[in-house]
Amino acid sequence: MYTIDENSLSVKDFTLILNSDSEIEISEDLKNKIFLCSNLLKTHFEVLDKNMNTKNYKEFEGNGLLNEREVRGIILATIYTLANGRSGVSYETIEKLIDLFQNRETIKIPEFSLSTKLDTLTPNHYLLNYVKDIAPIERKLLIKSLAYIPGFICSYFEDLQLVKKLLTISLVLYFNYPYMDSYNLASSPHLPFIKLAENINLFFIAENKNKNRSIDPLIFSYVSYLYKLLDDLQELLNIQLNSSHHPFIFIPENNTFIKNSLLIPQKLYLLKTVENLILTVDKTFESFLTKIGSFEDKVTIYNVFYSLKQCSDEILLTLKYKIKIYKKILAFILYEYAVKDKAQSLDQVLKSFMKEKNIKNYKELEPLLKDLLKTIEEKINELY
């Protein structure tokens, strides 16, 4: 059982809840706060109702649907920000969303609803088709909520960490356990990256490598920046999960409410951070593939480069698409490396995993990347 309390939800907790069947409940303190804000909403109903127009939203064409994890991420973020953000929505409505989250009912939400255009029907519009008997004013508040944005991104945070870690492992392998120069580390003082470098240097010592062997400086700078951006994103998500993403903030202590002036700015800042992260991962892969470009499968390499170039002004849809591409690239790189005759410790872990799972090509490895990472961490401790 996970108890939702005020300003307590982190990305780590969010991921744990999504990965488990744990039930969630709202603390008594938050229930009282929700009750007070809900009464305030009823008091100012007429003024608020006039200030919320939901009739101008547009529905676009598209066949793709959000997957279960994406939908659950959106629901969980909506539940938490409703309970924690002085939203005015009643406890009864939040409880219905909790039931929806825990029952794992199949919920159909079109991918195009992730569009961040102001006149597009958001995921909450479709989500509310599965929640009955909600007051019209609460329905309007939920439709205008932007909690789906951090919720959707959080549903992919574990995948982003997977990409970072397996990309790191790929670099260590292909640059043959490179030495990480202390001067370069001082120029990129990000704690996770320093930890990575220290561990790589331990491999360097164990394998008696030549200090002249190092990671390409350009790739080094991209990877360093990737570590920083992912840390920044995690910190930003921790803040936004505990912020209000609803049009009004109710203040029962003063018997009033205010318009949420941060609603749009915090959305734009979060999306820009994700956009910068995607661009950095793209550049890292492009530089890496160019540097090691000795694969026999030239068609796959061409398709990979072409896929990396594909982008959209819809950041959330781009994130969903690019995560699939990154996993494909990593599976391709690691499989190609595993078939080479190498004898170092990390190489042997990779080869043993391929043999145990009877993997014949990179496509068979792609869905098992999470298992591969877990195996590597168990065998050689934390690398990053």
Side-chain angles (χ1 to χ4, degrees), residues 305-321:
F305 267 98
Y306 180 76
S307 299
L308 286 172
K309 298 293 184 183
Q310 300 303 300
C311 201
S312 165
D313 58 353
E314 295 297 346
I315 300 302
L316 298 181
L317 290 171
T318 298
L319 175 63
K320 179 184 174 80
Y321 169 77

Side-chain angles (χ1 to χ4, degrees), residues 208-231:
N208 296 314
K209 297 298 180 183
N210 189 323
K211 283 191 177 183
N212 292 327
R213 182 177 287 114
S214 61
I215 290 179
D216 177 80
L218 182 61
I219 297 177
F220 183 98
S221 65
Y222 285 149
V223 176
S224 172
Y225 192 47
L226 168 58
Y227 270 70
K228 178 185 183 302
L229 286 176
L230 200 52
D231 275 6

Side-chain angles (χ1 to χ4, degrees), residues 158-172 196 226-227 230 330 334 346 373-374 376-377 382-384:
E158 188 176 40
D159 281 329
L160 287 170
Q161 290 280 18
L162 175 76
V163 169
K164 179 193 77 172
K165 293 177 177 182
L166 288 180
L167 175 56
T168 300
I169 289 168
S170 299
L171 288 168
V172 171
L196 156 71
L226 168 58
Y227 270 70
L230 200 52
L330 287 167
L334 290 168
L346 186 53
L373 180 60
K374 182 179 178 182
I376 291 173
E377 290 180 338
E382 193 174 10
L383 178 62
Y384 12 77

Side-chain angles (χ1 to χ4, degrees), residues 98-322:
I98 291 175
D99 290 340
L100 195 64
F101 177 82
Q102 294 178 164
N103 292 339
R104 292 180 176 269
E105 180 181 349
T106 300
I107 298 172
K108 295 181 178 181
I109 299 180
E111 285 184 343
F112 63 72
S113 66
L114 292 174
S115 170
T116 52
K117 293 181 174 64
L118 293 177
D119 60 348
T120 306
L121 286 172
T122 68
N124 282 359
H125 173 88
Y126 300 93
L127 180 62
L128 290 175
N129 292 332
Y130 299 84
V131 186
K132 306 301 180 184
D133 302 321
I134 298 180
I137 186 68
E138 291 188 351
R139 185 173 290 273
K140 285 185 176 182
L141 284 170
L142 283 165
I143 287 176
K144 286 187 169 290
S145 167
L146 297 180
Y148 73 91
I149 296 176
F152 179 84
I153 296 170
C154 280
S155 73
Y156 275 103
F157 194 80
E158 188 176 40
D159 281 329
L160 287 170
Q161 290 280 18
L162 175 76
V163 169
K164 179 193 77 172
K165 293 177 177 182
L166 288 180
L167 175 56
T168 300
I169 289 168
S170 299
L171 288 168
V172 171
L173 289 170
Y174 267 93
F175 286 100
N176 201 7
Y177 300 85
Y179 175 73
M180 306 291 275
D181 187 82
S182 56
Y183 176 81
N184 289 334
L185 289 176
S187 67
S188 305
H190 313 307
L191 186 59
F193 195 65
I194 291 174
K195 182 178 180 182
L196 156 71
E198 289 175 345
N199 283 299
I200 288 179
N201 285 345
L202 288 177
F203 276 110
F204 163 82
I205 294 170
E207 302 295 338
N208 296 314
K209 297 298 180 183
N210 189 323
K211 283 191 177 183
N212 292 327
R213 182 177 287 114
S214 61
I215 290 179
D216 177 80
L218 182 61
I219 297 177
F220 183 98
S221 65
Y222 285 149
V223 176
S224 172
Y225 192 47
L226 168 58
Y227 270 70
K228 178 185 183 302
L229 286 176
L230 200 52
D231 275 6
D232 289 347
L233 178 60
Q234 182 170 359
E235 183 178 349
L236 182 57
L237 287 171
N238 284 338
I239 293 171
Q240 293 213 8
L241 285 173
N242 293 282
S243 303
S244 174
H245 292 270
H246 311 288
F248 300 99
I249 298 174
F250 292 86
I251 311 171
E253 301 94 309
N254 299 330
N255 194 35
T256 189
F257 67 91
I258 59 174
K259 189 173 183 180
N260 187 358
S261 59
L262 292 177
L263 193 63
I264 302 301
Q266 67 183 5
K267 175 191 91 167
L268 295 176
Y269 185 53
L270 180 56
L271 292 174
K272 189 63 178 178
T273 302
V274 173
E275 181 182 17
N276 288 338
L277 179 63
I278 291 171
L279 288 173
T280 301
V281 179
D282 283 354
K283 289 178 181 177
T284 307
F285 273 120
E286 288 174 8
S287 298
F288 186 23
L289 289 170
T290 301
K291 193 72 178 178
I292 64 174
S294 58
F295 299 118
E296 294 182 5
D297 190 349
K298 301 297 183 183
V299 174
T300 300
I301 287 294
Y302 173 81
N303 290 336
V304 162
F305 267 98
Y306 180 76
S307 299
L308 286 172
K309 298 293 184 183
Q310 300 303 300
C311 201
S312 165
D313 58 353
E314 295 297 346
I315 300 302
L316 298 181
L317 290 171
T318 298
L319 175 63
K320 179 184 174 80
Y321 169 77
K322 285 296 178 76

Side-chain angles (χ1 to χ4, degrees), residues 5-40:
D5 205 353
E6 190 169 8
N7 299 323
S8 65
L9 189 65
S10 66
V11 176
K12 183 178 179 181
D13 292 332
F14 195 101
T15 302
L16 287 173
I17 295 170
L18 283 188
N19 289 345
S20 70
D21 293 320
S22 297
E23 295 184 353
I24 56 177
E25 63 177 4
I26 297 175
S27 71
E28 291 302 319
D29 286 345
L30 270 187
K31 285 180 184 178
N32 292 331
K33 182 180 173 182
I34 292 166
F35 178 76
L36 292 172
C37 292
S38 178
N39 282 343
L40 199 53

